[in-house]
Amino acid sequence: MHSRTWNRREFMMATGATACLGALDSRAQATPDYTVTIDACTVEASPKHVVRTVGYNGQVPGPLLRLREGRASTIRVVNRTKSEEIVHWHGLHLPPATDGAMEEGTPMVAPGAIVQFQMTPQPAGFRWYHTHTFAGNDLRKAQYSGQHGFLYVESANEPGNYDAEHFLALHDWNGYLTGGDDGSMNPTYDISTVNGRMLGYGEPIRVKQGQRVLFHILNSSPTEVHWVALAGHTFHVIALDGNPVATPSTATMLRLAPAERVSAWVEMDHPGVWVLGEVRKHIQAAGMGTVIEYAGSTKKPAWLQPASLAWDYAQFGTADADAAITSEVEEIPLVLESRFKGHGSQERWMINGKSYPDTDMPVLVQGRRYRLRFQNKSMDDHPMHLHRHTFELKELAGGKRTRGVMKDTVLVPSGAETAVEFTASNPGLSLLHCHQQNHMDLGFMMVFRYA
């Protein structure tokens, strides 16, 4: 691979030839814990908004996979489409051959192929699974499609201090490219959903007064950050990206960048019929919301518009400036920027002045502590995701320091710096990228390798 320059599409085509060799033949394996079938399906967001897409097991989101931390599990993947596919097990610490990224060496799943993934899932918490392929200008493929599902890894001492539990996926559909202020092209959407349904369609979430309801919320959007509130109620945030926070805290709204997850419980103490939905009016009008209905209530769903957007990672950490900077840590500077490619084109994205696959390949030493310092010199915010590892937030925009917030994806604001730290504890190729599909497709990736 290092003897020539490859683009992402060529990489996919090349790895397809090895998919059958690297795959485990399901007929020779034990009965799987779950089967995930990739196939065409239809999402009826509303009677007037029908999306033909590709999903898992004929549904969007795909089925909830509940695994036990540290217990060996087998997941069978069946590809019934005419394209090569791959499934990334987002947030799990898996070997590169299983993780689900072709850049790390995971074989593609050929059309018509059946593959079994054997894994010992860790860490515990709210994870998810999704496609990890190239889309380019086809805003129906890859993460623009319905290929996403929930994955929850239960710990041996799962607390279970709630009365009901709901998994919700935020997604945007029917994307098309529109010109930005600088003339470059970016995706725009005309449908937004919660669990594949627009606000007002599908069954409401039914609750009872006095219940404590735990919500696991995922932003599976290909490119969009979302802000979510539950009218008349307050969220009690207990985990970010599936990892318990150092300081559980209340929030009137949640901000989720693409790939981020929030776990928060809500005390059902305000009877009525309410909207849980996107805070920004035009996104909620496109459908992003669902109805929360108390038993015995028959009113029209109510929405209370917040006056402003509010979210701060630091409120869930420990504000200990002296402890926030780890000693004996090796810093890796990562400058994020774009190159204008002309009117009517999407921008080319770069890390330290280079676009994948020509980016540098930093070398990690097992057991060593590293600080990734993101310097965002672009006009966009970027959700940066590190595969196969969990990192700790250390420095946020404006120089604010924190600790105790463990994540696998962090939103780096435009024009700002953010620093995270992790210990190199999972040998093998590890992909780092912006989780916006269009940015990833256009070079916004790099791979770390272990010494």
Side-chain angles (χ1 to χ4, degrees), residues 204-238:
I205 295 175
R206 295 183 172 88
V207 301
K208 296 179 181 179
Q209 185 173 359
Q211 281 187 321
R212 175 178 288 187
V213 178
L214 178 60
F215 292 98
H216 298 291
I217 304 177
L218 157 71
N219 184 359
S220 63
S221 174
T223 63
E224 298 302 299
V225 176
H226 287 297
W227 301 77
V228 177
L230 172 51
H233 299 77
T234 299
F235 292 106
H236 298 258
V237 176
I238 59 173

Side-chain angles (χ1 to χ4, degrees), residues 36 54-57 59-66 87-91 126-131 143 145-152 167-171 195 216-220 259 261:
V36 175
V54 175
Y56 298 136
N57 293 17
Q59 63 184 73
V60 177
L64 168 63
L65 310 182
R66 293 195 88 110
V87 180
H88 171 46
W89 314 103
H90 187 121
F126 180 24
R127 315 299 165 192
W128 66 302
Y129 60 104
H130 60 87
T131 184
Q143 198 56 46
S145 74
Q147 293 180 75
H148 55 269
F150 308 114
L151 191 156
Y152 192 88
F167 289 80
L168 305 177
L170 317 177
H171 202 74
N195 284 0
H216 298 291
I217 304 177
L218 157 71
N219 184 359
S220 63
R261 290 90 67 209

Side-chain angles (χ1 to χ4, degrees), residues 37-42 52-59 80-81:
T37 300
I38 309 168
D39 203 355
C41 67
T42 299
R52 291 174 176 80
T53 187
V54 175
Y56 298 136
N57 293 17
Q59 63 184 73
R80 291 183 177 167
T81 73

Side-chain angles (χ1 to χ4, degrees), residues 333-384:
L334 300 167
V335 178
L336 317 177
E337 55 190 338
S338 64
R339 178 177 297 148
F340 182 62
K341 299 293 289 184
H343 291 274
S345 300
Q346 297 188 66
E347 294 173 295
R348 189 70 181 172
W349 289 95
M350 302 174 292
I351 300 176
N352 293 344
K354 299 178 180 180
S355 295
Y356 186 84
D358 296 322
T359 44
D360 297 325
M361 185 177 282
V363 179
L364 307 178
V365 176
Q366 187 171 3
R368 185 170 295 176
R369 186 78 170 174
Y370 293 91
R371 180 183 303 126
L372 305 181
R373 181 170 298 280
F374 300 108
Q375 299 171 281
N376 187 357
K377 294 187 176 181
S378 77
M379 298 177 63
D380 293 7
D381 299 344
H382 298 292
M384 300 303 299

